Structure formats: structure tokens, C-alpha cells
Amino acid sequence: MQNRIARILLIIFFIALLATPLIIKRLNARNETTRSSANPAIALSRYGFNFEESSKSAGINFTHQAPTFDGKLDHIMPQVAVVGAAVSVVDFDRDGWNDFYITNSGEGSKNALFRNQGNGNFKDVAGDVGLADLNNRDIGVSMGAVWGDYDNDGYEDLFLYRWGRPELFHNDGGKKFTSATENAGLPPWVNAGTAIWFDYDRDGKLDLFIGGYYSEKVNLWQLADTKMMPESFEYANNGGRKYLYRNLGDGKFEEVGEKLGLRSNRWAFAAVAADLRGTGYPDLFIANDYGVSELFFNDGGRRFREAGGETGVGYSPKSGMNASIGDVLNRGHFAIYVSNISEEGILLQGNNLWVPREGTSGDGIKFDNLARDLGIELGKWSFGAQFGDLNNDGHLDLYLVNGYISADRHRSYWYDFSKVAGGNRTIISDAKNWPPMDGRSLAGYQQKRVWINDGAGKFNDVAQAVGVTDVYDGRSVALADFGNRGVLDAVTANQRGPALYYRNTINPLNKWIAFELEGATSNRSAIGAQVRVFWNGQSQVQEVSGGSGFCAQNQRRLHFGLGRQAQVEKVEIRWPSGKIQTLTGPELNKVHRLKEVA
Amino acid sequence: MTPEVSTPSTVPDAPAASFTNALKRFFSFENRFLAPMLITIILLVGQLTFGFLESYWKTGLAIAVAMLIELALGRLFFGKFPHLASAYISGISVGILVRSPAIWPYALCSAISITSKYVLRVKGRHIWNPSNFGICAMLFLAPFTVASLSIQWGNTIWPMLIVWTLGSIIIYRLNRFHICLTYVVSFIIFAAVRGFITGHPFLAEVAPITGPMYQLFVFFMITDPRTTVNSKRGQVIVAFCVALMEMILRLNETVHAPYYALFIVGPTANLIEMWWKSRH
């Protein structure tokens, strides 16, 4: 009898075990439902902001086209021609309004430079200024662009990277752009996945990092053979090389990457530079596809030292596709967000948020992945992401775009993809071994993520509730205050899809403060300058960036939300030169334009 | 899905006369620590060379839960604390094969695996390989947070060689190499058949078995003595049927085809064997 009761109890226990996942799923679904009803008024009162997709009304009419490579890749073309939609924000004509540049990738397609008219409308002026017709098979097609004033003349210049020939454009007074490539000494061909401006040696001149994706030996329009795919899905070392171009002045650059220790042939997809250790020199973080991320410590501008393993970010290889930084906990330290792939039941890499461990700093800094704890781990097939305070409540939120290939909704390529991805290198690295895609989707039609930071260590996805409802194959996202309203809007670039402009409306009770910096001894773009705002017993640090996210660049201006009862005690600006400037009791709800004292 | 080495009925009395004898005894069916040691080595090789674990904690948790539940249920239903080798292997298999960003699936999968041994019994014998059952249950019931090891072991030849070498030694000593051979040959033949049907390259169809994960499956899962049939001919037929079922599932684009194939074929074969024995 006793045995029988024990057996019944055991069966009940077993059923309870089997039921546990279903219960957890139901509880999760209940939480999601409460955040999914899209109503602007409710979103505004509940979350403090609401997005409205306004590209049409703002005059933004742009659709990305993908390239067509060598016919040997026809069967998997969507998988190879999978990136190239990129967006970077700039005030190219110095009229005080943020403009943005968006790249195209089809042969013969045109890039666009949307000039902000200051009245809520944008106009594509790329053709007028010489930045439109830049994609063809002889020189390659655009993958992204980053802005930086490399000659310190006050106007932001443009570096355009391609799967092809990289190109540097000089900004001639905000009216015209002329190619400065020949004089610059850039490489003839790079299949670049990322590029950023930063002043690694703090000499006051912006230097340039370029991260290769496919090997630079590969011309995707004229393949010698089909063995150009990654040799492994997570341990590949047959990607492109890394370049660091030191700015010599006079428009000339010298490649010093190899010499200074930037030796890697991983498949770079994103990079961000920031002073992570408080040394004053920007360190370099690279998110690699098909492998681990790399963190290069910058030792005084004299050499770079790979520290991924010792800091903890270089383990557990995934499919890195984003690198953005943010002081998400208002602790005065940058966390690094890396996006990866998460597909239910198939591949759950999870995104990473590398947060500096308490008590570690300098060379001994260690990072822990807190993405799961903070609730920003699962973003489907994730690409670009940016931190920004979307509701001005004083905490950095996170906007993520995703989706890989949206084709036939009812037929998936996942099975065939996973079949080959697990194979030996001789199989996976040869494109001819990959089954044909035949119009099938792979992680397509995915809902974006807009995670709001509750300030207590949790992020909640409110994308659907606040109006971000598109399901395009998002690649690149940039945040900027396009209306000079003290509000961060969002622009997203979608592969084979339209550019979207999400205009943000926020609860006006929340205060903000913003800073536009101009270097003197430092590089004029002030890339690398840190601003630390102290208010209401807390602080937040931000750094001017020469590129972050996935093939993206946010506005140069640093924007801080402050919440309702804000009293800013002081603001500390650390220029790239090392000079410190302090403001006490600055005016709120204002953009402060500051020049470095030479 | 774990190689649960049967409890030895006798232990050799004679002391080791030489190093060779000691080695032979070490690599013998009687050494119930052999399989746990081998799978531990595989885990360490994978982690130290590739860093393939998300964290030691998750794997540790899977092992701890498996052993604790084994102790509790063994004591409750059989009146004694069982040997923990089998639970250790189940736990470590879960720790390697389950991929989840969450922690709870590791504990739950181990709990389901071990408990299934005590619940799903026919004539005093459990018919599912415990971790095969646990992993299939998780993949089926919790796909929102669980996947299985697929690509995270790298694609180079070294992990394959290590698993092949270690696996071959133990499987040969356990007299079960014919199961592996049958499965591998069947898989390759069926890969060609799949390629013919789908029009996909043969190498694409063969690709899965070249990954290190499959070597674990071949050497340590389909050979589990407790949940395979007894006769050598029967074992060969079952291995062939697992490959056949896998082909059917693969033609239906089932990502986790090998797990599900073993889940279906393994207990079916055991039940047929029991029925056959009861009639004869």
C-alpha cells in the first residue's frame, strides 16, 4: 500500500516536471500580453514615450537593394548578400540639425544623404553633393559609412566602406564631397564588415579602424572558387584582416594595425572604441561573426593587446553582430552589448551584455554577461542595437533591430542551414555544399525589440506597445534628436527594405540635458570625449563615438535624460586630450555647445 | 541517451600481474567508472579547447540534480542508495547537450531524465534512455528556451579524433562497436538517398555526422546497454532502424532528428524484444 502511494506520488511529481515548461511559458506570455497593445496614449502614460513611423510624411523614400554576386552563389545569394543597409547620423552642413546618410548595395543603386530641413522634413541631397552613385561591381558596393572630421576643418568627412574599395570623402564646407581616397593610402580592396573613427594615440587626429569580414582576397563578383564561406560556424579564422590607419595629417594615413598588435582574421561585423579602463586611451572591442569577440587593450597608443580571454568576453563563441556601449546601471562604467542569434528550439546563443564586475578596473577589469539578468538576452536573429534614453527618465534604454532573410513566410531554410552549419570545415567552407535557399525564409519577419530600462536592473520589451511594429530585416539603427526637441528619434536601415524614421513623442515632464562638443587640442569631432553628469545622487557617463552598433553611428551630440525632479549638480567633461572641464548647475532642457580650451 | 554501463556481477579476484593486465582491466566492462571518466574527459577537452560551455554552473547543476534525484528515488523505491555512475553520466550529458540561456532547464532536464527511469518502466525495466527522454521532452515542451548542442563544438578534426579514439576504445571493450558501425554506414547510405530525393549535395547530407556532436551520439547514446536490445543481431537491426527513422525525420526537416529517432525506435525495440521473449 505504502509503495503504491509512493508510486502515485512519483507519477504526480513526474507530470509536474513535464508541465513546468508549459507553466513557465504561460506566465511569460501573460507578461508579454500586457505590453503588446499598441495605443499611443496608453504607451505615453505607461512608458513615457511613443514612436510613430513617419518616413513618408518626412519625405524619406528609400529602399535598400541587395547586390548580385558571382553566379556560383546563386543558390544561396540571399545568405551572402545579406548586409549593406546602414545608417549614420551627422550634421554635415553644420546648420544645427542632424542629417543622416544611408547606404545601398545593389549594383547601380544609390546611397542617400537625407538633409534635415529643420521643419520635420528631409531631402535627399546625396546626388547634389557627390555621395549617391557609389555602388558598382568594379569598385564594390556599400556596407556602411562613418563620419569623422579627419582634417579638423570643422566639417565631418565621410569614410565609406564596401565589399570592395574603401573610400574617403572630404567634406568641402558642407556643400560638396570630393574623394580623398587616392592620397589617403587606403587598401585597394576590403570586404569590410565594420569601420570606426577613433583617435587611438590621442594626437588630435582621427584614426581609422577597418574590420574585414570576407577575406580581402575574395572578389565576390569574380570568385576563383566557392571556398569563401566561414570554415566554422563558431570558430572561424578565415575572415578578413584588420586595418588600423594612423592619421599622418595632410590627408595621408599609414597602416599600423599589424605592427601594433591588431592581428586577427576573424569575421568582424561590428566594432566600438571607448575608454573601458579609465586609462584615457580608447580600447577597441570587436564583435565577430562565427566566433568569439575580441577586446584589444590600448596600451598608451603604442600597441594593442588582445584581452578577450582574461577579461571574460572572449569565451563562448557566438555570432556577434553588434557592438554598442552604455552606462546601463548609472554606475559610471560602460557595458558592451553584443547581439547574436536566438531561434526557439534550434539555436539559442543569446545576446551578451558585458558589464564590468564590481571591484575590477584597469588592466584587471573583468566582465560578466548580465544580458539574461537584465532581460535583454533574446532578440531573435539580432543585428544592430543602440543605447539611448528614449523616455528621458534617466536610464538608458535599448533599441534592437533583427530579422535575417524574409522571403516565403511558409517555408523555412533553418533545417538545411543547421544541417551544414554543424559540419566539418571542408564542407561548411565551400558554398557549393550549401543547399539551395529556393526562396525560403531564414529567421524572417521578426518583431523588433525596444527594451526600456526600469532603473532597478530590468529591461522590458515594449516595442509593440510603443509603435515599433515593423518586421523588416533590420540591420542598422541610429538614434538622434532630429527635431532639436530634447527627444531621441530612431532611424533604421533594413536589408531589401525601406528606411524607417520613428519619430518619438515623450512625456514632457521628464527633463534632459545634451552636449555638443568641439575639440581644439583634441580631434575636432571630439570623438573619445567623455561626459559624466551627476544628478540626484547618481551619475551617468557617455562617450562621443566614431561609430557603434551594426554599421551605424548615432548623433554626435550626447543626450542625457534626467527624469522629473532633476537637479544636476555638476557635469564633468574629459576631452580626448585629457583636459577636464567642469560645469556646475547647468541649465536643463538645453543643448550645451562646448569648445575645448586649447 | 547516456551510456549506462551495467552493474558487474563479478569482480576479478586476481591482482594485476602486469601493466598490460592493469590496463586491460581498466578498459574493461567491469570498470563502472570508465564511461563517467571518458565523458568527463570529453567535457574537459571541449571546454578547455573551445570553451563551449555557457558556464560551469549550468553543467554542475545538471550533474548535481541528476545525482540527488537518483539518490532519493533509489532509496525510496529500492531501499538502498544506488551507484551514481549512471546519474553522473545522465547529468553530464544534459550539461553538454542542452543549450539554454536559462539555468532552470538544466535542472529540470536532469530531473525529468532520472525520474523517467523510475516511472516509465515495463516489467521492471526502463525502456527509454534517460537523458534521451529528458532532452526530447525539453526540446518538445520548452523550445522557447531550449535548443541542443549543434554547432558549438567547432568544426575541426581534433575534437572528432578525440571522441573517435576514446569512443572506439570503450565501445570496442564493451563489445558494442557493431552498433556504431551499423549506424554510421546506414547514415551515410541514407544521406545519399536523401540527397537523391532532395537534390541537395551529398556532402550537405553527410555534414551532420562530421560534427563532433554526432560522435557523442554515435558512441555514447545509441549504445546504452540498459536501453538497447540484448542480441547482437537485434542491436544491428535497431541501429539501422534509428538511422532509417532519422532519415524519415530529416526528410521532414526535423532539426533534432537523431534525438527523436532514438526516442521513437529505442523503446519500441525494447518492447518488441520483451514481447518476443514472453512468447518464447
Side-chain angles (χ1 to χ4, degrees), chain A residues 184-226:
Chain A
L186 297 173
W189 195 275
V190 186
N191 293 305
T194 180
I196 56 168
W197 291 105
F198 70 135
D199 185 5
Y200 81 89
D201 54 1
R202 293 170 54 190
D203 66 352
K205 297 190 289 289
L206 282 178
D207 312 300
L208 183 62
F209 169 78
I210 311 172
Y213 188 69
Y214 284 100
S215 166
E216 58 283 357
K217 298 181 186 88
V218 171
N219 180 332
L220 288 160
W221 287 269
Q222 291 175 312
L223 290 178
D225 57 52
T226 48

Side-chain angles (χ1 to χ4, degrees), chain A residues 220-359:
Chain A
L220 288 160
W221 287 269
Q222 291 175 312
L223 290 178
D225 57 52
T226 48
K227 291 172 185 160
M228 30 58 78
M229 298 293 275
E231 63 188 355
S232 162
F233 197 77
E234 298 203 332
Y235 300 90
N237 273 306
N238 62 337
R241 62 168 285 197
K242 310 294 163 281
Y243 303 84
L244 178 60
Y245 278 92
R246 180 167 176 260
N247 189 340
L248 304 174
D250 295 335
K252 288 191 171 61
F253 291 80
E254 175 195 12
E255 209 292 301
V256 295
E258 181 90 14
K259 190 169 74 182
L260 297 189
L262 286 180
R263 287 181 282 270
S264 166
N265 282 91
R266 296 189 186 278
W267 295 62
F269 237 169
V272 68
D275 179 10
L276 300 171
R277 296 174 295 157
T279 61
Y281 286 87
D283 304 305
L284 179 64
F285 184 92
I286 306 173
N288 294 303
D289 201 1
Y290 311 118
V292 294
S293 296
E294 293 166 302
L295 173 56
F296 288 95
F297 281 165
N298 180 348
D299 288 340
R302 293 184 304 277
R303 68 169 185 144
F304 284 90
R305 179 165 45 97
E306 213 286 303
E310 65 190 74
T311 55
V313 304
Y315 288 107
S316 195
K318 297 182 180 177
S319 308
M321 287 173 280
N322 176 78
S324 42
I325 57 163
D327 181 5
V328 292
L329 300 173
N330 285 354
R331 286 195 329 200
H333 304 293
F334 292 119
I336 308 159
Y337 190 67
V338 181
S339 66
N340 300 296
I341 304 170
S342 298
E343 181 72 15
E344 286 189 0
I346 299 175
L347 181 59
L348 286 161
Q349 294 179 330
N351 298 341
N352 294 343
L353 179 71
W354 296 112
V355 179
R357 191 178 299 161
E358 285 276 17

Side-chain angles (χ1 to χ4, degrees), chain B residues 8-78:
Chain B
S9 53
T10 57
V11 177
D13 293 322
S18 67
F19 176 73
T20 313
N21 281 344
L23 205 63
K24 270 188 179 174
R25 211 173 55 198
F26 180 80
F27 286 109
S28 73
F29 192 68
E30 283 75 23
N31 187 350
R32 58 198 308 180
F33 293 103
L34 186 56
M37 278 192 290
L38 286 172
I39 204 163
T40 304
I41 289 168
I42 289 167
L43 174 88
L44 292 175
V45 167
Q47 177 64 5
L48 297 177
T49 56
F50 289 110
F52 74 112
L53 293 179
E54 268 281 323
S55 76
Y56 286 109
W57 288 107
K58 289 174 179 173
T59 305
L61 178 69
I63 297 168
V65 169
M67 296 206 296
L68 282 173
I69 292 195
E70 179 87 317
L71 283 173
L73 296 183
R75 183 78 181 81
L76 197 62
F77 288 95
F78 297 110

Side-chain angles (χ1 to χ4, degrees), chain A residues 3 6-7 10-11 13-14 16-22 24-25 28 231-235 292 315-318 343-350 352 369 372 377-378 412-416 418-428 432-436 438 440, chain B residues 50-54 69 73 76-77 99-104 108 111-112 115-116 118-121 133 137-139 141-148 150-157 160 194 200-201 203-208 210-212 250-251 253-256:
Chain A
N3 223 350
R7 187 141 189 87
L10 178 67
I11 291 168
F13 175 64
F14 187 56
L17 289 175
L18 293 174
T20 302
L22 304 175
I24 291 173
K25 189 179 182 185
N28 288 345
E231 63 188 355
S232 162
F233 197 77
E234 298 203 332
Y235 300 90
V292 294
Y315 288 107
S316 195
K318 297 182 180 177
E343 181 72 15
E344 286 189 0
I346 299 175
L347 181 59
L348 286 161
Q349 294 179 330
N352 294 343
N369 177 16
R372 179 164 190 83
E377 183 172 48
L378 299 178
S412 168
Y413 187 66
W414 259 119
Y415 166 74
D416 283 323
S418 66
K419 189 168 64 181
V420 179
N424 184 262
R425 64 160 66 164
T426 51
I427 297 174
I428 185 176
K432 77 170 191 290
N433 294 327
W434 286 75
D438 288 337
R440 287 178 285 176
Chain B
F50 289 110
F52 74 112
L53 293 179
E54 268 281 323
I69 292 195
L73 296 183
L76 197 62
F77 288 95
R99 311 302 289 191
S100 174
I103 293 172
W104 63 265
L108 185 64
I112 290 173
T115 312
S116 76
Y118 292 84
V119 175
L120 304 170
R121 299 178 81 89
F133 184 91
M138 295 302 288
L139 289 172
L141 298 169
F144 54 93
T145 192
V146 170
S148 86
S150 55
I151 54 173
Q152 291 91 336
W153 259 53
N155 304 52
T156 59
I157 199 75
M160 275 178 71
R194 289 201 313 270
H200 293 174
L203 285 178
E205 300 300 337
V206 167
T210 66
R250 284 191 174 280
L251 286 172
E253 302 200 339
T254 306
V255 173
H256 304 297

Side-chain angles (χ1 to χ4, degrees), chain B residues 1-4 39-40 43 53 56-68 70 84-98 105-107 109-111 113-114 117 129-132 135:
Chain B
M1 203 164 301
T2 50
E4 294 168 275
I39 204 163
T40 304
L43 174 88
L53 293 179
Y56 286 109
W57 288 107
K58 289 174 179 173
T59 305
L61 178 69
I63 297 168
V65 169
M67 296 206 296
L68 282 173
E70 179 87 317
L84 288 175
S86 165
Y88 175 78
I89 296 169
S90 291
I92 214 166
S93 297
V94 168
I96 292 174
L97 294 169
V98 167
Y106 291 85
C109 188
S110 281
S113 300
I114 301 300
K117 280 203 300 189
N129 174 282
S131 46
N132 174 242
I135 289 170

